[in-house]
Amino acid sequence: MTFPFSRQPTTSNLQTAIRAWLANWDFVDNPFAIWEADDEPLLERYFVKRPFFDQLLASHKSTLVFAPRGGGKSATRLMVETECRPRLPTASVLAVPYIDFSPFAESSNLPPSLSLENYLPHLIFIIASYLLESLAVKSARVMLLERHYLAHLRYWLDWLEHEHHLKLLTGERLRLLLRLGGAKKDDVKLNQFVEEFQSGKLIRDSQKVQWGAFAHHLITLRDAIPISPDTPIDTSIRKIEAFVRLTLDALSFDSAPCYAIYLLIDGVDEYPLTQNDPQMSAAVLHPLLGNLRLLEMPGLVCKFFLPLEHRAAIEKVTRSDRLEVISLEWSQSAEKQPNDLRDLLRLRIAAFNTRKMNTLSELCDPSLRYRLEDEMIETARNSPRDLLRLGNLLFSEHCRETPRRDSLLLPVEWDRAIARFYASSGRQDSLSEGVVTISSISPSGTLLVRVDSQKKKVFRGAEEISMPSDREFRLIEFLYHSHGRLCSKNEVGLAVYEPKQGRSAKEGGVSDATIDQLIRRLRRRLEPNPSKPIYIITVKGRGCRLDNAG
């Protein structure tokens, strides 16, 4: 049994070695292989509910949830979704995650006057998407839905497509909705139905029956004559009010009414423009945070999941006195609080182990067995993400040389894992045993190289390496983000010298000799002994790669 992880922080060969070693200890997979909540395959089994979770779920008041990066805010948002529609069809709340800020935060500058009007079509689009998914999940009872709701919904779908070029009923979404609605036809027949639906072809009643109740309503929606809202919609806020009322009315067609939409706003700080700029994050969110009529709208509850590092800037653009404010904090000690990082670690191990193992002690050498858990928690410093990174780094160090199946984790491997953790995060913390020195405990006796693309800095261990040449920096940056892959000279030339589009590096006037000279210059800056390189490795006739990267 394996799980489809979408992000691998180490090489595939190393992950394979880790899985093979863990299989001997009855693990179905590496419990630390990923640490991004959206990629977690078993989040519901090892999520630790903090004391505020029930309050967050039950409150129909707009809320600010602050947590340090890696502190579990996205995991909390995902768990709120599991307690609401469409995931839980009988719930009285529809959860709508709003996590895509690319229309505003991917450009180099914000629109000159970002307002609620900019957000409007995207908000309507995402709420409509989850409305349809919720109806599809309840397709067994959706026949009770009155046709005029679909006619009103058709008005909004036309508005999105014609005025804002946002098409909701794409082929991909139609296939998703039909499957949620219970369609069991094979992909060929499913695609045929989608093509006929999108072409406007008349679909016979006998065909509607075989696709189930929700297919019938999709066809009714497609063929409906649009009906505009009964109330004025001359402003953005009135449009949102009208669509919220329509959504709640449409979802309250049976004995399980829906009372509210939770708009779960997360991920604003995951873009280059906002990641390290709290004021920019606040500016992106200001149209939402600064609009009290939106924040206090009947039937709509905005719950913001925000980085603690941006709190001061965020609170300047909103009325936090009119909102609930929650700080997500973690206890490091099981004695202080029952639900903490220790519980997270043990639940996660148990979720991936078939014989109910819930600690790493059985995998450890006796000299490490009784201190590993405490030191992992202390080093992670209240960060679930860092706790998982440490676990993965420890397994990586142990399996780097393909260990025996019954081998145990050793103290030196834990020391090396800590060194890599500090090198990659730029931290130089100290544990109770003393200061961790990267140079003394890295696996090969070398310092680890790290590249900070945003600040355009290169580090060897804790030491910053001067890069006065832009091309030298671009070369090491390209190799660093290639994660140890052997890169051809043509790839290097294209990345560093950027010849005109459609031309190879040589065609752009970049010779192999030019690239060789650049590599030599970079080695002189980076390598302790340029004649015996340990970082910039070249393979004759094939290219170069970066080793010993943190």
Side-chain angles (χ1 to χ4, degrees), residues 63-129:
T63 307
L64 305 177
V65 179
F66 290 104
R69 286 201 178 101
K73 61 183 184 299
S74 291
T76 302
R77 183 256 303 167
L78 287 164
M79 289 304 296
V80 169
E81 291 180 45
T82 67
E83 303 284 347
C84 303
R85 300 188 194 189
R87 292 283 296 278
L88 186 62
T90 57
S92 60
V93 172
L94 173 67
V96 177
Y98 190 96
I99 57 176
D100 182 10
F101 292 89
S102 56
F104 318 118
E106 279 194 342
S107 60
S108 58
N109 294 291
L110 288 178
S113 56
L114 189 64
S115 68
L116 186 60
E117 188 174 355
N118 298 105
Y119 274 95
L120 175 64
H122 305 287
L123 293 174
I124 300 293
F125 182 91
I126 194 67
I127 295 172
S129 300

Side-chain angles (χ1 to χ4, degrees), residues 166-239:
L166 294 173
K167 183 179 177 65
L168 186 61
L169 294 179
T170 60
E172 181 180 357
R173 183 165 280 105
L174 284 168
R175 283 185 282 272
L176 168 66
L177 292 171
L178 288 167
R179 289 195 175 99
L180 287 173
K184 294 181 174 61
K185 298 295 180 182
D186 60 49
D187 286 341
V188 173
K189 291 183 179 179
L190 191 65
N191 290 336
Q192 180 183 353
F193 178 89
V194 169
E195 289 175 8
E196 291 179 357
F197 179 95
Q198 291 185 315
S199 68
K201 184 176 179 180
L202 179 65
I203 300 176
R204 297 188 300 274
D205 288 341
S206 60
Q207 292 176 290
K208 297 177 185 178
V209 171
Q210 68 177 328
W211 289 100
F214 195 66
H216 173 87
H217 278 281
L218 281 174
I219 296 163
T220 303
L221 175 61
R222 181 198 68 179
D223 298 338
I225 298 174
I227 299 177
S228 61
D230 302 326
T231 56
I233 52 170
D234 53 331
T235 65
S236 295
I237 202 73
R238 285 180 172 177
K239 286 182 174 71

Side-chain angles (χ1 to χ4, degrees), residues 283-349:
V284 170
L285 290 176
H286 182 257
L288 307 178
L289 285 167
N291 193 316
L292 274 180
R293 189 166 169 185
L294 176 75
L295 298 176
E296 298 178 348
M297 182 181 295
L300 181 67
V301 182
C302 298
K303 296 183 183 287
F304 298 84
F305 297 82
L306 303 163
L308 183 62
E309 298 83 352
H310 294 194
R311 180 168 183 169
I314 293 293
E315 290 188 334
K316 287 180 181 179
V317 300
T318 192
R319 289 285 303 276
S320 53
D321 60 314
R322 302 279 285 270
L323 308 173
E324 290 188 354
V325 180
I326 293 172
S327 292
L328 201 170
E329 298 176 353
W330 290 82
S331 166
Q332 293 189 15
S333 169
E335 288 72 32
K336 291 181 182 177
Q337 195 167 304
N339 295 328
D340 64 352
L341 286 180
R342 196 179 305 274
D343 289 324
L344 172 64
L345 181 61
R346 292 178 176 180
L347 285 170
R348 195 175 187 100
I349 292 167

Side-chain angles (χ1 to χ4, degrees), residues 368-404:
L368 181 63
R369 183 169 299 162
Y370 302 106
R371 64 183 174 92
L372 175 62
E373 192 174 84
D374 287 338
E375 289 186 7
M376 286 181 69
I377 291 169
E378 183 178 356
T379 307
R381 289 202 321 192
N382 298 319
S383 171
R385 182 181 296 167
D386 283 348
L387 184 72
L388 305 182
R389 290 180 58 216
L390 283 162
N392 189 66
L393 287 167
L394 174 58
F395 288 172
S396 298
E397 290 304 316
H398 182 71
C399 296
R400 200 167 292 281
E401 302 299 329
T402 313
R404 298 193 323 272

